[in-house]
Amino acid sequence: GILNTATGEVVSGASSLNKVVREGVQRMVDNGLTGFIDHGGHHWSPEAYVTMDVRTTMANTARAAVWERMEEYGDDLYQVSHHDGARPLCYDWQGKVISRNDLSRDVTDDEGNTVHVYAQSETTYGQAAGLFGINCKHYPIPFVPGFSRIRQPQQDAEENAKAYEQSQQQRYLERRLREEKRDLEVMKAQGASEEALKAQRKRIREASDGINEFCAKTGRTRR
């Protein structure tokens, strides 16, 4: 119920993602929910789980609107968007034209160039870490044969892998900082000594400095 309320507020435009995450996490904590373990045995903190759920549901809602409009026009083809640092299971499908009806074939674009269409079942669609899966940033671009212009992205597998690895390193550092801050609040609630709190605040500063150094070195933006 908490997740549905949070997602509804974002999708409807009533609240921002950051605002509903803060409120959603607080509601969960108020109800005694301090973490989750999914079917794969992965541990999730409330903020990580709420953020993942809301972002994924927002993306699913946006895609559902695209699918509906495509069906109204009798079009089943879409091109996959492109971005640097794509996940391994998504990378190979960036820029490709896919058929939702699973009809692999060749079509032409607005300039008469031949474009190969892949069946959706050939892709990683449907996998948690695959195309349009959990936390996926890709989106479908409707493609109409003979009308749409195909735009193939300039991709470099090595650079993409490097960007993806850096994104994972940054997520780890940010996760560590959140955990250190959470530990401080727990220590306060337990009545820890001032000396222990001082040591914990030092760990928080070190974790924050670690993120700043990483971003300065890689040119990434702190989140």
Side-chain angles (χ1 to χ4, degrees), residues 193-212:
S193 67
E194 188 55 41
E195 183 179 354
L197 294 176
K198 182 178 180 180
Q200 183 60 27
R201 291 190 182 97
K202 180 181 178 182
R203 283 192 286 271
I204 291 175
R205 287 195 300 272
E206 291 173 347
S208 182
D209 290 343
I211 297 176
N212 290 335

Side-chain angles (χ1 to χ4, degrees), residues 3-49:
L3 290 174
N4 286 340
T5 300
T7 303
E9 290 181 6
V10 176
V11 171
S12 66
S15 298
S16 67
L17 175 62
N18 288 339
K19 183 173 184 291
V20 300
V21 168
R22 287 196 302 271
E23 294 177 350
V25 169
Q26 187 58 55
R27 289 176 192 146
M28 288 187 173
V29 172
D30 290 343
N31 281 273
L33 296 172
T34 57
F36 305 86
I37 301 177
D38 62 26
H39 289 293
H42 305 101
H43 291 252
W44 295 79
S45 65
E47 57 266 42
Y49 194 89

Side-chain angles (χ1 to χ4, degrees), residues 105-124:
R105 60 194 186 276
D106 287 338
V107 297
T108 58
D109 64 8
D110 71 328
E111 297 181 323
N113 299 312
T114 299
V115 178
H116 182 68
V117 175
Y118 296 85
Q120 189 165 265
S121 60
E122 297 180 62
T123 72
T124 54

Side-chain angles (χ1 to χ4, degrees), residues 2-216:
I2 292 171
L3 290 174
N4 286 340
T5 300
T7 303
E9 290 181 6
V10 176
V11 171
S12 66
S15 298
S16 67
L17 175 62
N18 288 339
K19 183 173 184 291
V20 300
V21 168
R22 287 196 302 271
E23 294 177 350
V25 169
Q26 187 58 55
R27 289 176 192 146
M28 288 187 173
V29 172
D30 290 343
N31 281 273
L33 296 172
T34 57
F36 305 86
I37 301 177
D38 62 26
H39 289 293
H42 305 101
H43 291 252
W44 295 79
S45 65
E47 57 266 42
Y49 194 89
V50 173
T51 302
M52 177 278 295
D53 183 87
V54 174
R55 279 182 175 163
T56 300
T57 305
M58 286 171 57
N60 289 342
T61 302
R63 279 192 296 273
V66 175
W67 300 149
E68 183 176 354
R69 182 56 59 88
M70 287 173 61
E71 290 174 359
E72 290 176 359
Y73 285 95
D75 185 22
D76 79 310
L77 306 183
Y78 63 88
Q79 184 181 12
V80 179
S81 64
H82 165 266
H83 65 77
D84 293 330
R87 298 186 299 193
L89 292 180
C90 296
Y91 176 77
D92 288 339
W93 299 107
Q94 293 193 128
K96 299 291 195 305
V97 175
I98 313 296
S99 166
R100 293 189 68 222
N101 293 333
D102 254 8
L103 301 176
S104 178
R105 60 194 186 276
D106 287 338
V107 297
T108 58
D109 64 8
D110 71 328
E111 297 181 323
N113 299 312
T114 299
V115 178
H116 182 68
V117 175
Y118 296 85
Q120 189 165 265
S121 60
E122 297 180 62
T123 72
T124 54
Y125 182 83
Q127 299 182 38
L131 188 62
F132 304 146
I134 294 174
N135 278 331
C136 180
K137 298 178 182 177
H138 291 99
Y139 55 89
I141 305 169
F143 182 89
V144 181
F147 179 80
S148 298
R149 177 163 299 181
I150 194 74
R151 292 179 174 81
Q152 288 295 351
Q154 297 297 317
Q155 300 193 102
D156 184 295
E158 187 173 330
E159 286 299 316
N160 183 82
K162 178 181 178 181
Y164 175 73
E165 179 61 29
Q166 288 179 349
S167 73
Q168 298 307 295
Q169 292 175 7
Q170 184 173 350
R171 286 181 62 188
Y172 166 77
L173 293 172
E174 291 167 345
R175 200 159 51 238
R176 179 191 165 207
L177 177 57
R178 288 195 299 270
E179 290 169 353
E180 296 290 5
K181 288 182 176 180
R182 192 160 53 242
D183 287 347
L184 176 63
E185 296 307 313
V186 171
M187 293 171 66
K188 288 180 180 178
Q190 293 177 335
S193 67
E194 188 55 41
E195 183 179 354
L197 294 176
K198 182 178 180 180
Q200 183 60 27
R201 291 190 182 97
K202 180 181 178 182
R203 283 192 286 271
I204 291 175
R205 287 195 300 272
E206 291 173 347
S208 182
D209 290 343
I211 297 176
N212 290 335
E213 291 173 7
F214 177 80
C215 289

